[in-house]
Amino acid sequence: MRKHLSLPALALVCCCFWGIQAEVYTSIGQMTDLIYTEKELVQSLKEYIQAEESKLAAVKSWANKLDVLTLASTSDPEVYLAHPVNAYKLMKRLNTEWSELESLVLQDPSDGFISNMTVHRQYFPDEEDEKGAAKALMRLQDTYKLDSESFSKGKLPGVHHNAILTVDDCYDMGKTAYNEADYYHAVLWMQQSLRQMDAGEEHVVSKADVLDYLSYSVYQMGDLPRAIELTRRLVAIDSSHQRAGGNLRYFEKLLSKQLKELNQEVQEPATEEPIQLGTYKRPKDYLPEREIYEGLCRGEGVKMTSARRSRLYCRYHDGNRNPRLLLQPMKEEDEWDSPHIVRYLNALSDSEIEKIKELAKPRLARATVRDPKTGVLTTANYRVSKSAWLEGEEDPVIERVNQRIEDITGLTTQTAELLQIANYGVGGQYEPHFDFSRKDEPDAFKTLGTGNRVATFLNYMSDVEAGGATVFPDFGAAIYPKKGTAVFWYNLFRSGEGDYRTRHAACPVLVGCKWVSNKWIHERGQEFRRPCGLTEVD
C-alpha cells in the first residue's frame, strides 16, 4: 500500500446507485452521490480505527485527510465536482486506493468496515472509469492548450479553487497514456512527474520508473538524442536496470546509423532541460477539422465580422400571434445569419430545470451514436455524456416544455423525438456531427416513420464556467451555454436536402457541469407549417 495517498478530491463521478461501471465518469450529474458515499466510508473507517487505533495508525491518518476533503466536497458537490482534476482523482482514489486500504484492513477484519465496503463497492468506478477520466484530462489539455504544469497545479480558467496533481498522479496519468500507446501524452505527464520530483515533492514512485517510461516514450516520438540523454540518467541512477543498458546501446547505435546516412557528425548530447508543451507535434487523428474545431472551442477563428454582426437583431417573438405568447412573448436574438441560428431567452425557468434534472437523473445512461457502417447504436469516445429520454405524459413540466417549443417554432412536436436530457462528464464532449441523416445512411430514422430531423431545439440548463461551447466548424460560429436559454436552427433546406453547414460539436467541458435538453423535430406534420420549396434556401 502506498504510504502517501493523494487526497485532493477527484470528485466528479456521481453514480446514484443507477450507474454502470466503466461509464461513471461520463456524467457529472450522476456523480455527486459518490461524494456522500465516500463520506460514509470515511465515517465507517474512523469507527474501525477507534477499535484498533494502535494497529491502524497509518489508516487513521489517511482517513483524517479524507475527512477534511469530504467536508469541502459536500458543501457544494456540483461546484466541487466541476473541476476535472477532482474528477480524475476521485476515479483514481475509489478504483485504486480504497482497494489498497481494504487489503490492509482484511489482515485483521473489522465486520463493520468490511460490510460497509462490500455494500458500496458495487457502485464504485472501475479501472475503465479511472482510465476514461485520465484520458478526459488529456483531451482538455489538447483542446485548450494547457501545459501539464498548469494543469497539475489546478490553474484552470474559471476556477476559484485549485485541485493539485501529485508526482504519483502525474506518473499514473503518463502510464495510462503509455499503455494506450499514446506516447505524446506519456511524454508530457512523465516529464511533469519528473519535474515535480526534481523540485523535491514527496513521492512513492521511483525516479528510475519515471525515466524508464519517459525515455522510451521520447524514443517513440522520434527524438533519439533526448532518449539517449534520459536513458543515461536512468543508468546513472540504476546501473543494474534490466532494460536501460540494452536500450542505451540500441539508441546510440540507431542514432549513429542515422547520422552516417545523413553524412553528419556525432551530435552533442541533448540537454537536461525539461520537455515543454509544443516540443513534439501532436499526432493527427480521424477528425479532419480537428484544428478548426478545437480552435473554435478556445474562441479562436470565430468568423463574427462587423458586417455580419450588423445583420443580427433582437426582437420579441409571439409565435405568429400564438395565444400563449401574446401576453409574454419570447425574447429572440440572432446568433448567426446564414444558416439562421437564433437564441431564446428565458426558455426554461429554474424550477423547470430542476424538475427535468430530477426526472432524468435516475435514467441517465451512456449516450450512444449510430455506427455508419452497421447502423447500430453504440458508445464512442467522441461522445462523452449520459442521456435520458422523457415523455410529455410523465410530468406536466415536460408537457409544458414540449408545448412551448411548438409555440415558439411553429412546428408540430407530435412527430418529434422525446425530450432528450444530456449531462456531460469529465471533459464531456460531442465531436463534430450532423443531427440529420445523410444520403449514405437513408435508414437512420426509418423505424420512427417521421422522416428526417428538420430542426434542432437545444435548451441550455446550466451555465458552464469554462469550455462547453456549441461550435459550427463549417462557418466558424461559437455559441456559449447560458442557463435558461435555448438555440434553434433548421437542419434541412426547404427542398428537404440536408444543410451540411450545420455540422456542429459540443466542446469539452473544461470546468463546470453542463446540462442540456434536445428536441429534434422531424419532417412529418410540418407540410403546412414549413412548406416545401424547390431550391436549397434557408
Side-chain angles (χ1 to χ4, degrees), residues 4-300:
H4 306 286
L5 298 176
S6 54
L7 303 178
L10 165 239
L12 195 213
V13 172
C14 151
C15 152
C16 298
F17 306 144
W18 325 290
I20 299 176
Q21 285 189 323
E23 295 182 353
V24 179
Y25 78 99
T26 60
S27 166
I28 288 181
Q30 274 197 342
M31 297 173 185
T32 52
D33 278 9
L34 278 185
I35 292 290
Y36 297 105
T37 297
E38 191 169 35
K39 184 176 179 63
E40 184 178 340
L41 289 171
V42 173
Q43 182 58 37
S44 176
L45 178 60
K46 291 177 74 174
E47 292 173 359
Y48 174 70
I49 290 172
Q50 290 174 1
E52 299 189 54
E53 189 166 2
S54 59
K55 182 176 181 180
L56 300 178
V59 179
K60 183 177 181 180
S61 174
W62 193 71
N64 287 337
K65 292 177 183 178
L66 273 175
D67 201 24
V68 173
L69 166 67
T70 52
L71 283 175
S73 62
T74 53
S75 62
D76 194 335
E78 235 180 44
V79 169
Y80 186 83
L81 293 172
H83 199 299
V85 168
N86 286 341
Y88 164 67
K89 295 189 76 170
L90 181 60
M91 299 299 93
K92 182 171 177 284
R93 191 164 61 252
L94 289 176
N95 175 51
T96 305
E97 297 172 357
W98 275 101
S99 296
E100 293 172 349
L101 178 64
E102 182 185 14
S103 297
L104 178 61
V105 171
L106 283 171
Q107 295 174 8
D108 187 6
S110 166
D111 293 339
F113 178 74
I114 296 304
S115 63
N116 213 0
M117 286 287 293
T118 302
V119 168
H120 291 300
R121 175 165 297 283
Q122 60 183 312
Y123 306 115
F124 278 12
D126 61 11
E127 185 177 351
E128 286 302 307
D129 280 303
E130 182 179 339
K131 183 170 72 174
K135 291 168 72 174
L137 293 194
M138 297 173 205
R139 180 166 58 250
L140 292 173
Q141 182 179 27
D142 292 339
T143 303
Y144 299 104
K145 290 189 174 180
L146 302 168
D147 64 88
S148 302
E149 185 171 14
S150 295
F151 220 135
S152 71
K153 293 179 180 178
K155 295 180 179 179
L156 304 180
V159 173
H160 303 294
H161 58 275
N162 292 337
I164 64 168
L165 289 168
T166 65
V167 169
D168 299 298
D169 292 331
C170 294
Y171 170 78
D172 288 338
M173 288 279 292
K175 194 171 179 180
T176 296
Y178 183 91
N179 291 337
E180 295 282 307
D182 179 3
Y183 301 109
Y184 172 77
H185 288 108
V187 168
L188 294 179
W189 287 101
M190 287 298 176
Q191 172 64 62
Q192 182 58 32
S193 180
L194 184 62
R195 181 187 286 114
Q196 292 177 212
M197 186 181 291
D198 288 342
E201 186 178 311
E202 202 170 287
H203 56 88
V204 174
V205 63
S206 72
K207 192 170 187 176
D209 284 343
V210 175
L211 287 169
D212 188 19
Y213 280 106
L214 180 57
S215 60
Y216 190 77
S217 298
V218 165
Y219 159 68
Q220 287 291 341
M221 293 303 296
D223 189 348
L224 273 172
R226 174 81 70 167
I228 290 171
E229 182 270 323
L230 290 167
T231 309
R232 285 174 178 169
R233 290 170 65 182
L234 172 55
V235 171
I237 292 173
D238 184 1
S239 59
S240 63
H241 193 282
Q242 60 179 355
R243 287 182 301 276
N247 283 351
L248 181 58
R249 288 188 292 274
Y250 175 74
F251 293 159
E252 290 175 336
K253 183 178 180 181
L254 192 57
L255 179 61
S256 177
K257 181 181 178 182
Q258 289 181 0
L259 293 175
K260 187 175 181 180
E261 291 174 352
L262 296 171
N263 293 320
Q264 294 181 1
E265 296 181 358
V266 177
Q267 296 180 340
E268 291 294 322
T271 67
E272 293 189 9
E273 289 295 316
I275 301 167
Q276 304 295 335
L277 184 67
T279 300
Y280 304 123
K281 190 173 181 181
R282 180 179 161 201
K284 297 287 185 181
D285 64 8
Y286 55 85
L287 191 63
E289 67 263 63
R290 171 72 64 189
E291 291 183 9
I292 297 174
Y293 156 55
E294 292 185 349
L296 288 171
C297 290
R298 295 189 297 271
E300 301 168 4

Side-chain angles (χ1 to χ4, degrees), residues 391-408:
E391 297 188 47
E393 295 79 8
E394 296 182 47
D395 192 276
V397 167
I398 308 303
E399 186 63 44
R400 188 162 67 243
V401 170
N402 288 338
Q403 183 62 61
R404 187 177 302 144
I405 293 172
E406 185 168 312
D407 294 341
I408 293 172

